């Protein structure tokens, strides 16, 4: 998809479809929409008067222009109530509109950005949000359809800029493309089935990203993991014939600084549950148990492209959690890279095991601030459902940074506690800790476990088990993997660099 910025007004631009917007609380069109309406003999305002167009959020009405203006169609996009309008909503609304345009075979789409609604939106953020909406909303994953059907694809988007800085919009558009393409990359990785996204393939994908942006990368193989004593990671991977991979990518944008942000991702390319095997229903969804790893790779891809003045290290532990004669037994005790011992009470609580070694290793390599992203617990779905990421931390300042980044990206996070009272949830009779004690506070239990490995380093854990995929298309998310957390991590890194 190509973006072009133009000073030409939408009323004279030729294209397959132009988007104009309308809000719920106004009984008439404003600004450019009004100009289009006048050229169209007031047909749009007639529909508004007849309440056929209400301006409800996400409402889409398509009209043919029959030569009244050079564009073939007008798409009237409802933005909901004006006072409730945010950048996040604008992003979603443009996603819905673009998806509709894609569905009917529009290949050139035109829209306008102006100061019509809120002065507080700066043109950079507005340009970015609109582009993100369009690129994210029209995402498709169909590599395994052999039937050659004609695939609808928006090839070109023309953004007509009226009363605001064209350079600022342009800057936002460039950012939006990088942010959204990186999120789509993470979606691609997560949507791949487990036989097409093994730890080895994931490592290859990471190498491609590193090569594209000239980043340092190393892949630790099983033998090296053994030498390093990563007993927790190795225990999880033992039941599978697929070799485990520890992926480490480094971006050094501030060689003069000692600070380094560590982004740690859970890369379970399939989670069967291990010996304590999961029920049969929906087990296929566990191909997406590497969404945290995918998000880290997506973020690294954007960081490589944006080149901010900051150091970032991505650490991903990737393996399968399988059942076999070699698989780890419930009750096994393992030594982690940190030196702490763990009693594996539940083989299905594998995410925290592979993350414990990845977190310790990120620290060992110099990370001074940590964020881990993981599809860690079913429990977070009980707590927050499918709309909000669970956030856990050992540090208030770092938490505020991540929350601020999430606010910018429009990805919602909600903090849950890791009070000392919960320490008993990981107490073991025979080792330093257990990976599960059957607590109903499952997401907190997972967080308490990881906290032991973060130690004194400021750390935030994002549990994305509820938000990493959707079963129904809505807003910026077409059905399937969402690529959630990618844009929050990019925003976090940019904020940290002062960009
Ligand atoms: N990968 C799962 C968590 C998950 C559940 C992700 C649903 C996406 C959707 C994780 O490895 C797991 O199995 N967690 C267990 C832990 C329990 C055994 C302590 C859980 O949450 O049930
Ligand atoms: Mn599991
Ligand atoms: Zn898992």
């Amino acid at each position: 998809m190509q973006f072009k910025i133009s000073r030409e007004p939408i009323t004279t631009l030729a294209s397959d479809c132009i988007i104009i917007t309308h809000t719920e609380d106004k009984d008439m069109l404003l600004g450019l929409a009004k100009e289009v309406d006048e050229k169209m003999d007031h047909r749009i305002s007639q529909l508004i008067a007849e309440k056929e167009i209400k301006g409800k959020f996400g409402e889409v009405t398509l009209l043919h222009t029959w030569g009244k203006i050079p564009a073939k169609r007008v798409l009237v996009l409802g933005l909901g109530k004006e006072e409730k309008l945010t950048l996040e909503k604008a992003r979603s609304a443009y996603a819905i509109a673009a998806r509709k345009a894609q569905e009917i075979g529009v290949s050139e789409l035109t829209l306008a950005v102006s100061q019509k609604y809120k002065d507080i939106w700066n043109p950079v953020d507005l340009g970015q949000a609109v582009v993100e909406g369009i690129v994210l909303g029209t995402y498709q994953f169909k590599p395994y359809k052999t039937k050659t059907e004609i695939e609808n694809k928006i090839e070109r988007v023309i953004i007509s800029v009226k009363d605001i800085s064209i350079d600022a919009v342009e800057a936002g558009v460039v950012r939006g493309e990088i942010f959204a393409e990186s999120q789509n990359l993470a979606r691609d990785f997560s949507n791949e089935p487990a036989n097409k996204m093994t730890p080895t393939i994931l490592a290859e994908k990471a190498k491609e990203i590193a090569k594209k942006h000239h980043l340092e990368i190393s892949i630790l193989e099983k033998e090296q993991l053994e030498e390093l004593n990563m007993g927790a990671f190795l225990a999880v991977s033992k039941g599978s014939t697929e070799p485990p991979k520890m992926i480490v990518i480094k971006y050094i944008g501030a060689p003069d600084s000692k600070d380094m942000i560590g982004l740690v991702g859970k890369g379970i390319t399939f989670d069967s549950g291990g010996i304590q095997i999961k029920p049969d229903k929906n087990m296929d969804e566990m191909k997406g148990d590497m969404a945290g790893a995918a998000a880290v790779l997506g973020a690294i891809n954007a960081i490589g492209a944006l080149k901010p003045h900051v150091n970032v290290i991505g650490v991903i532990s990737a393996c399968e959690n399988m059942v076999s004669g070699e698989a780890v037994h419930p009750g096994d005790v393992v030594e982690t890279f940190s030196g702490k011992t763990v009693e594996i009470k539940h083989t299905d609580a594998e995410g925290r095991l592979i993350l414990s070694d990845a977190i310790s290793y990120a620290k060992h390599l110099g990370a001074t601030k940590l964020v881990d992203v993981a599809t860690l617990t079913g429990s977070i779905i009980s707590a927050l459902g499918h709309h909000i990421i669970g956030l856990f931390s050992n540090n208030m300042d770092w938490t505020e940074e991540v929350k601020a980044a999430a606010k910018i990206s429009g990805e919602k996070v909600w903090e849950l506690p890791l009070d000392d009272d919960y320490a008993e949830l990981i107490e073991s009779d025979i080792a330093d800790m257990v990976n599960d004690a059957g607590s109903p506070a499952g997401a907190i239990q997972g967080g308490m476990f990881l906290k032991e490995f973060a130690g004194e380093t400021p750390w935030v854990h994002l549990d994305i088990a509820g938000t990493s995929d959707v079963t129904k298309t809505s807003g910026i998310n077409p059905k399937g993997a969402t690529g959630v957390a990618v844009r929050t991590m990019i925003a976090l890194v940019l904020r940290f660099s002062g960009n």
Side-chain angles (χ1 to χ4, degrees):
M1 196 184 288
Q2 250 192 356
F3 288 87
K4 208 185 136 219
I5 298 177
S6 166
R7 270 285 185 218
E8 206 180 325
I10 45 170
T11 40
T12 58
L13 272 166
S15 81
D16 294 331
C17 182
I18 57 172
I19 299 177
I20 61 170
T21 58
H22 181 50
T23 53
E24 207 178 337
D25 31 16
K26 295 274 184 312
D27 52 8
M28 55 179 274
L29 290 157
L30 296 169
L32 289 162
K34 194 170 161 214
E35 286 174 34
V36 172
D37 185 47
E38 275 160 13
K39 291 244 156 67
M40 299 251 313
D41 301 336
H42 304 280
R43 287 183 190 176
I44 304 167
S45 39
Q46 239 174 56
L47 291 174
I48 292 172
E50 283 164 25
K51 301 265 188 278
E52 207 163 302
I53 295 177
K54 296 191 183 76
K56 280 204 180 308
F57 180 78
E59 175 195 78
V60 164
T61 313
L62 265 167
L63 287 92
H64 281 250
T65 60
W66 308 114
K68 298 276 181 196
I69 54 172
K72 276 196 224 153
R73 305 177 189 84
V74 176
L75 187 157
V76 187
L77 172 63
L79 296 177
K81 291 223 161 65
E82 190 179 331
E83 80 262 16
K84 280 195 167 177
L85 196 51
T86 57
L87 271 180
E88 189 214 335
K89 284 208 160 159
R91 187 185 292 109
S92 289
Y94 276 95
I96 293 165
R99 202 154 47 232
K100 182 71 194 177
Q102 174 176 263
E103 236 172 76
I104 60 165
V106 165
S107 91
E108 191 176 72
L109 181 67
T110 301
L111 59 99
V113 290
S114 72
Q115 286 293 45
K116 181 166 148 190
Y117 291 114
K118 277 189 182 166
D119 301 334
I120 53 166
W121 294 354
N122 75 57
V124 184
D125 294 343
L126 183 60
Q128 183 175 345
V130 167
V131 169
E132 284 175 356
I134 294 169
V135 176
L136 293 170
T138 55
Y139 171 81
Q140 291 169 300
F141 183 79
K142 289 182 181 165
Y144 305 114
K145 292 260 187 206
T146 58
K147 225 175 39 189
T148 43
E149 37 184 275
I150 308 159
E151 196 172 289
N152 288 345
K153 227 173 138 194
I154 298 174
E155 300 287 353
R156 249 153 70 93
V157 178
I158 301 166
I159 301 179
S160 158
V161 179
K162 197 188 175 193
D163 43 7
I164 46 179
S165 155
I166 208 159
D167 290 342
V169 174
E170 169 89 54
V173 168
V174 171
R175 268 199 181 196
E177 280 186 273
I178 294 173
F179 276 57
E181 296 291 357
S182 298
Q183 185 167 344
N184 282 349
L185 190 65
R187 288 171 167 181
D188 276 344
F189 296 166
S190 299
N191 279 327
E192 288 286 355
N195 65 328
K196 306 284 186 190
M197 190 47 70
T198 61
T200 304
I201 299 173
L202 191 67
E204 288 305 317
K205 297 285 178 194
K207 279 190 206 161
E208 283 171 26
I209 293 169
K211 195 166 168 212
K212 188 166 73 186
H213 302 297
H214 311 288
L215 309 177
E216 238 180 86
I217 182 164
S218 55
I219 312 289
L220 306 192
E221 306 292 337
K222 190 177 164 210
E223 297 68 36
Q224 290 157 289
L225 301 172
E226 282 165 353
E227 274 165 34
L228 290 167
N229 233 344
M230 295 201 186
F233 182 24
L234 286 164
V236 174
S237 72
K238 270 196 334 170
S240 171
T241 51
E242 289 292 339
K245 307 276 171 178
M246 177 76 86
I247 303 165
V248 180
I249 308 191
K250 230 187 214 174
Y251 166 76
I252 302 297
D256 45 322
S257 162
K258 278 204 179 81
D259 273 321
M260 179 148 79
I261 299 179
L263 304 177
V264 179
K266 170 178 173 182
I268 294 288
T269 59
F270 190 76
D271 182 10
S272 72
I275 295 287
Q276 281 150 302
I277 196 164
K278 287 182 181 295
D280 59 346
K281 207 167 152 257
N282 301 334
M283 201 201 271
D284 60 299
E285 286 174 8
M286 285 302 128
K287 70 175 187 177
D289 211 17
M290 34 58 73
V296 168
L297 289 178
I300 297 277
N301 181 63
I303 292 158
L306 293 162
K307 307 236 178 301
H309 184 76
V310 57
N311 304 318
V312 181
I313 187 164
V315 179
I316 288 163
S317 35
C319 72
E320 286 186 339
N321 185 23
M322 296 296 281
V323 197
S324 84
E326 314 261 316
V328 65
H329 320 98
D332 280 4
V333 172
V334 295
E335 286 86 43
T336 63
F337 176 70
S338 71
K340 292 183 204 291
T341 58
V342 175
E343 183 187 1
I344 302 180
K345 279 256 189 175
H346 208 305
T347 62
D348 199 10
E350 85 297 341
R352 62 203 70 179
L353 295 170
I354 69 162
L355 284 172
S356 66
D357 281 338
I359 287 171
S360 306
Y361 197 55
K363 280 178 20 179
H364 173 76
L365 295 177
T368 54
K369 299 269 190 310
L370 291 164
V371 176
D372 83 70
V373 192
T375 46
L376 205 72
T377 66
S379 158
I380 201 67
I381 307 175
S382 308
L384 299 174
H386 296 283
H387 294 289
I388 301 185
I389 299 171
L391 182 153
F392 304 79
S393 178
N394 62 357
N395 184 287
M396 263 168 65
D397 292 338
W398 189 230
T399 296
E400 288 313 313
E401 282 300 311
V402 176
K403 283 184 179 172
K407 188 123 192 138
I408 293 169
S409 72
E411 296 180 322
K412 292 173 188 153
V413 297
W414 194 261
E415 188 176 1
L416 281 97
L418 292 181
D419 289 41
D420 291 343
D421 304 345
Y422 294 109
E424 60 179 31
L425 300 189
I426 56 166
E427 274 169 18
S428 165
D429 292 337
I430 59 167
D432 295 336
M433 61 190 107
V434 280
N435 70 334
D436 173 46
S439 167
I444 293 175
Q445 181 181 266
M448 288 304 286
F449 185 90
L450 296 176
K451 189 179 165 195
E452 290 297 311
F453 298 90
E456 296 301 310
T457 309
W459 153 83
V460 162
H461 157 55
L462 300 176
D463 193 337
I464 57 166
T467 44
S468 63
D469 54 38
V470 288
T471 51
K472 212 175 80 207
T473 298
S474 101
I476 59 167
N477 292 319
K479 183 175 170 178
T482 60
V484 76
V486 169
R487 284 181 299 110
T488 295
M489 281 190 279
I490 306 169
L492 178 74
V493 168
L494 291 187
R495 268 175 67 84
F496 201 76
S497 75
N499 287 77

